[in-house]
């Protein structure tokens, strides 16, 4: 098979790392639904022994994700949270991590509830502000973990600033790139050590698979993460690997259509009398707009907005017909989520109040539907 590494992103996404199955010529890479693989003799492995260690379908996906993120290697996990957990397992008891304070509630729960008992310390700060990061540094700090854009308020962190701090203090830098995907943002190219994804979202793209990924260029980190992956066992199944491979083929088309719709909806929401504030990276007045322009080539399709009267929230959530009231994001369908009781339910009330993740906030994951239908659906619940 030809090497497609020199191709543009769109071509690499469609063709995958290998351009199809070398052995059979199958255009759609096969699902190797096997748990174990036979050996021809002593010390004669085919390269595959047991699917927890590696499976041909997962290997093809991992190589494709690495190619798209401009990384040396990628590791596929059963969920995004499993990928983040593997990153945490790089730490030792007594280590300290600095994280974005505005981030997915499941990440907060991992650090605050699960790993705290193992004496891994976490400090949550506004990582868009360098002085807050510097103030949070301790003698035992080992990692800075950021979401950019953040969830759900779409804060933008300067990735170059994070890289500079981590190099100065010899920290590991981690960026959750779920919202923008490698199509719009490539943190590894800016010097970040590890990129994580919830592959459940845009990479899969159809709300039918759970997956997570870590991508890296540092061979020492890759080696450690491989040991963690095979030892803890939360690896991605062959079928789910195939679903993500299929989803990646249309990633660029979906992202562009979702973003096109998102820009129109964000501007429409801005003018609605019932909306107090719109959080979308693609609005020029967004606080992080200029930084995002420097480090990415797109805005994504995630929007949060605050209503003026919280009493209309139930009407919105029960009244939408084209848009679905559901958790998650990144699929072809437009979803509306209520972070206060859903994605960020685990975050303590005082932190939610500080961030503005309150009873007035809604989050939209914009899909690929006809824009007229989406806006009409919002009109029906916001303007009656």
């Amino acid at each position: 098979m030809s090497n497609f590494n020199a191709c543009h992103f769109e071509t690499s996404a469609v063709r995958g790392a290998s351009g199809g199955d070398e052995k059979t010529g199958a255009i759609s890479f096969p699902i190797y639904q096997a748990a174990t693989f036979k050996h021809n003799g002593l010390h004669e492995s085919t390269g595959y022994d047991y699917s927890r260690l590696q499976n041909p379908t997962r290997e093809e996906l991992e190589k494709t994700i690495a190619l798209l993120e401009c990384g040396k290697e990628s590791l596929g996990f059963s969920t995004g949270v499993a990928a983040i957990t593997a990153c945490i397992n790089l730490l030792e008891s007594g280590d300290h991590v600095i994280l974005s304070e505005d981030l997915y509630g499941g990440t907060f729960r991992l650090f605050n509830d699960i790993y705290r008992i193992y004496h891994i310390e976490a400090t949550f700060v506004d990582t868009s502000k360098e002085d807050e990061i510097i103030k949070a540094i301790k003698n035992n700090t080992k990692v800075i973990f950021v979401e950019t854009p953040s969830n759900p308020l779409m804060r933008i962190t300067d990735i170059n600033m994070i890289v500079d701090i981590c190099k100065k203090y010899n920290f590991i830098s981690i960026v959750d790139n779920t919202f923008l995907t490698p199509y719009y943002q490539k943190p590894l190219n800016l010097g970040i050590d590890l990129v994580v994804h919830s592959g459940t979202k845009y990479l899969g793209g159809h709300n039918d698979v759970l997956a997570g990924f870590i991508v890296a260029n540092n061979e020492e980190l890759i080696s450690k993460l491989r040991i963690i992956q095979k030892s803890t066992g939360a690896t991605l199944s062959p079928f789910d690997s195939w679903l993500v491979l299929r989803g990646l083929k249309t990633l660029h088309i979906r992202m562009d259509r979702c973003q096109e719709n998102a820009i129109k909806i964000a501007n429409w929401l801005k003018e609605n009398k019932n909306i107090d504030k719109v959080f979308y990276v693609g609005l020029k007045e967004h606080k992080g707009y200029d930084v995002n322009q420097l480090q990415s080539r797109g805005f994504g399709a995630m929007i949060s907005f605050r209503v003026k009267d919280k009493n209309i929230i139930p009407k919105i959530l029960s009244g939408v017909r084209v848009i679905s009231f559901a958790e998650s994001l990144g699929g072809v369908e437009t979803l509306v989520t209520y972070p206060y009781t859903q994605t960020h339910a685990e975050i303590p009330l005082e932190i939610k109040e500080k961030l503005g993740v309150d009873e007035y906030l809604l989050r939209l994951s914009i899909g690929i539907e006809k824009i007229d239908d989406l806006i009409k659906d919002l009109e029906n619940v916001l303007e009656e």
Side-chain angles (χ1 to χ4, degrees):
M1 286 286 175
S2 300
N3 188 327
F4 296 104
N5 287 0
C7 289
H8 291 92
F9 182 98
E10 295 87 342
T11 305
S12 295
V14 171
R15 301 298 297 266
S18 65
D21 184 38
E22 194 172 68
K23 292 177 180 163
T24 66
I27 296 296
S28 175
F29 199 89
I31 304 168
Y32 285 86
Q33 194 64 49
T36 190
F37 302 83
K38 69 179 181 179
H39 305 292
N40 293 323
L42 184 63
H43 307 308
E44 294 183 36
S45 171
T46 61
Y48 305 98
D49 304 311
Y50 189 62
S51 276
R52 175 163 50 81
L53 309 181
Q54 191 51 284
N55 174 279
T57 314
R58 190 174 87 235
E59 182 178 55
E60 170 67 8
L61 174 59
E62 289 176 338
K63 287 180 177 179
T64 301
I65 295 288
L67 176 62
L68 299 180
E69 274 285 9
C70 298
K72 283 188 178 177
E73 287 194 40
S74 166
L75 296 87
F77 293 84
S78 54
T79 66
V81 169
I84 295 170
T85 298
C87 292
I88 300 173
N89 284 331
L90 290 169
L91 300 169
E92 297 179 359
S93 180
D95 286 346
H96 173 245
V97 183
I98 298 170
L99 302 99
S100 302
E101 63 181 3
D102 176 34
L103 86 177
Y104 169 54
T107 304
F108 180 91
R109 181 175 59 239
L110 267 179
F111 282 92
N112 196 60
D113 297 347
I114 306 301
Y115 280 91
R116 186 174 58 177
I117 66 172
Y118 299 106
H119 305 290
I120 290 175
E121 215 182 330
T123 301
F124 298 87
V125 303
D126 183 352
T127 52
S128 67
K129 297 176 180 176
E130 184 175 4
D131 60 332
E132 289 203 19
I133 297 174
I134 300 300
K135 271 192 262 181
I137 292 174
K138 301 182 178 185
N139 291 333
N140 58 337
T141 303
K142 296 295 171 60
V143 169
I144 298 180
F145 182 111
V146 303
E147 286 185 6
T148 183
S150 67
N151 182 6
L153 298 175
M154 313 303 153
R155 289 180 182 171
I156 300 298
T157 293
D158 185 336
I159 294 175
N160 285 313
M161 178 258 290
I162 297 297
V163 170
D164 289 344
I165 293 172
C166 288
K167 284 183 176 177
K168 179 179 179 179
Y169 292 95
N170 197 29
F171 299 158
I172 296 172
S173 56
I174 305 175
V175 167
D176 186 325
N177 201 30
T178 298
F179 275 18
L180 290 187
T181 81
Y183 181 55
Y184 284 147
Q185 181 169 268
K186 289 181 165 57
L188 293 178
N189 282 353
L190 298 174
I192 289 296
D193 295 311
L194 300 175
V195 167
V196 298
H197 283 277
S198 173
T200 308
K201 312 305 193 292
Y202 289 105
L203 301 184
H206 293 81
N207 290 315
D208 57 6
V209 62
L210 295 176
F213 300 95
I214 303 173
V215 198
N217 280 321
N218 183 300
E219 292 183 3
E220 183 181 354
L221 288 176
I222 291 166
S223 178
K224 289 179 179 178
L225 286 164
R226 284 283 178 205
I227 292 170
I228 290 167
Q229 184 189 42
K230 75 177 183 180
S231 300
T232 56
T235 50
L236 192 60
S237 75
F239 181 63
D240 288 344
S241 297
W242 181 84
L243 284 173
V244 180
L245 276 170
R246 184 175 66 167
L248 287 174
K249 292 177 183 293
T250 58
L251 176 62
H252 54 288
I253 298 172
R254 291 185 284 104
M255 291 300 294
D256 282 343
R257 179 57 181 270
C258 290
Q259 177 174 272
E260 178 187 328
N261 281 347
I263 291 169
K264 292 175 181 176
I265 288 173
N267 280 295
W268 183 88
L269 287 169
K270 266 182 18 178
E271 304 303 320
N272 188 276
K273 66 182 186 298
N274 290 308
I275 304 303
D276 180 50
K277 187 172 178 62
V278 179
F279 304 91
Y280 178 59
V281 182
L283 295 175
K284 289 186 178 179
E285 62 268 28
H286 185 81
K287 192 174 180 181
Y289 179 87
D290 291 336
V291 173
N292 190 73
Q293 287 282 85
L294 293 173
Q295 64 191 29
S296 71
R297 56 181 295 274
F299 312 117
M302 297 300 301
I303 301 171
S304 289
F305 63 94
R306 295 176 60 83
V307 296
K308 292 179 180 177
D309 180 2
K310 68 180 181 180
N311 293 312
I312 70 170
I313 294 285
K315 176 190 170 187
I316 294 170
L317 297 178
S318 62
V320 287
R321 293 293 177 265
V322 177
I323 299 167
S324 296
F325 173 32
E327 294 195 45
S328 199
L329 59 102
V332 292
E333 303 89 356
T334 298
L335 306 180
V336 61
T337 300
Y338 191 40
Y340 187 74
T341 60
Q342 292 185 297
T343 56
H344 290 66
E346 303 291 337
I347 295 179
L349 183 59
E350 63 272 17
I351 297 178
K352 285 196 283 194
E353 288 177 347
K354 176 192 171 189
L355 296 174
V357 181
D358 55 23
E359 296 169 284
Y360 294 80
L361 187 75
L362 288 168
R363 191 192 73 186
L364 286 167
S365 170
I366 306 301
I368 66 172
E369 303 94 340
K370 180 72 173 176
I371 186 64
D372 297 350
D373 294 332
L374 294 174
I375 289 178
K376 183 65 177 175
D377 204 27
L378 290 169
E379 280 179 350
N380 289 339
V381 293
L382 284 170
E383 297 190 350
E384 283 182 359

